[in-house]
Amino acid sequence: MAHTRHQVEAHGLLGLREQDAVVLCAPARLTREIDVVLDHAQSVGAQTILITDSLGSVLSGRVTVVLPAVHSATGYTVEGLSSLLVTDCLLLGVAAQDRDRATTGSELLRVLRSRLAPEGPDRGPGRRGPATKSTDR
């Protein structure tokens, strides 16, 4: 189960089970949403992975593992860049465990995304197939 929104939607937690893992990206501050997700994950026995810049010591007793994502000392990069990189590495590691399933899922995701939000200026709602321009008149 994966959620990429900043705010957690309650219905997204309904399917959480013991065999699942929750990945939380929490750079600098503890929020109510983090508490709710951690409490619920603990209640169902799910594992928890925290990706954070500064909350590791605060939440280490409530999560399975803490993955540090330190911010740039110069401040020249976006705040979430290190969290994004750590998350990407984590996903690559998970995908490597079952390459066929990961490839199939990735392809299905690409197809669904292209059907939901077709690319190109000539694409309008409800159009299907490749965007083409007619040159015959």
Side-chain angles (χ1 to χ4, degrees), residues 4 11 20 23 31-32 38 42 49 59-60 68 77 84-85 89 92-93 100 104 111 115 118 125 128 134-137:
T4 57
H11 72 271
D20 293 329
V23 178
T31 64
R32 180 175 42 86
L38 289 177
Q42 182 181 23
I49 301 168
L59 294 173
S60 63
T77 59
L84 180 63
L85 291 172
C89 291
L92 287 171
D100 291 338
T104 300
V111 168
R115 290 178 64 197
R128 293 189 180 159
S134 175
T135 55
D136 299 324
R137 290 199 181 210

Side-chain angles (χ1 to χ4, degrees), residues 117-131:
E119 295 179 19
D122 294 337
R123 301 299 307 258
R127 290 196 177 186
R128 293 189 180 159

Side-chain angles (χ1 to χ4, degrees), residues 52-72:
T52 186
D53 176 36
S54 60
L55 293 176
S57 60
V58 174
L59 294 173
S60 63
R62 296 182 64 194
V63 298
T64 308
V65 66
V66 175
L67 298 177
V70 180
H71 294 279
S72 163

Side-chain angles (χ1 to χ4, degrees), residues 72-120:
S72 163
T74 63
Y76 290 132
T77 59
V78 178
E79 180 179 323
L81 178 62
S82 57
S83 294
L84 180 63
L85 291 172
V86 172
T87 302
D88 203 36
C89 291
L90 181 63
L91 290 173
L92 287 171
V94 170
Q97 298 300 308
D98 188 344
R99 289 176 186 234
D100 291 338
R101 182 176 177 199
T103 301
T104 300
S106 179
E107 178 61 19
L108 177 58
L109 181 61
R110 185 196 64 75
V111 168
L112 292 172
R113 282 180 175 162
S114 69
R115 290 178 64 197
L116 288 170
E119 295 179 19

